[in-house]
């Protein structure tokens, strides 16, 4: 099962990313553990300066923008 993390402080773009990830998973029929990380100390461990960040299996795929559903699907 895939591990997906959405790093962000709860801003509108972060919420959009969370919704788009869930829609992409549903569209592709992929099962994954989706985790929202809002703790700034945890986010800092990934050495990123802008959020939201999409991390799939511990690899950063998108940072600084809310990826659209089709873009997220391409990573699944």
């Amino acid at each position: 099962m895939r591990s997906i993390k959405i790093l962000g402080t709860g801003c509108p773009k972060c919420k959009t990313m969370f919704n788009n990830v869930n829609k992409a998973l549903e569209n592709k029929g992929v099962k994954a553990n989706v985790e929202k990380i809002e703790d700034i100390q945890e986010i800092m461990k990934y050495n990123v300066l802008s959020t939201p960040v999409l991390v799939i299996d511990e690899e950063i795929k998108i940072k600084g923008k809310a990826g659209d559903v089709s873009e997220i699907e391409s990573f699944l």
Side-chain angles (χ1 to χ4, degrees):
M1 186 174 292
R2 309 217 54 187
S3 168
I4 298 177
K5 296 177 183 173
I6 299 158
L7 314 178
T9 56
C11 67
K13 286 194 292 184
C14 299
K15 292 175 183 168
T16 299
M17 174 82 85
F18 181 77
N19 292 334
N20 288 352
V21 164
N22 285 315
K23 184 67 176 166
L25 289 169
E26 182 182 316
N27 289 351
K28 296 287 271 186
V30 174
K31 299 242 186 260
N33 290 325
V34 180
E35 182 180 1
K36 280 177 68 177
I37 298 177
E38 295 182 353
D39 178 52
I40 196 72
Q41 298 299 332
E42 281 296 308
I43 293 170
M44 298 284 285
K45 290 178 183 177
Y46 287 88
N47 200 27
V48 292
L49 299 175
S50 58
T51 59
V53 177
L54 175 65
V55 181
I56 299 177
D57 297 330
E58 292 305 311
E59 185 178 332
I60 295 172
K61 298 294 188 179
I62 299 173
K63 59 184 169 183
K65 67 178 183 126
D68 62 32
V69 174
S70 61
E71 182 180 18
I72 296 166
E73 285 177 353
S74 72
F75 299 125
L76 299 177

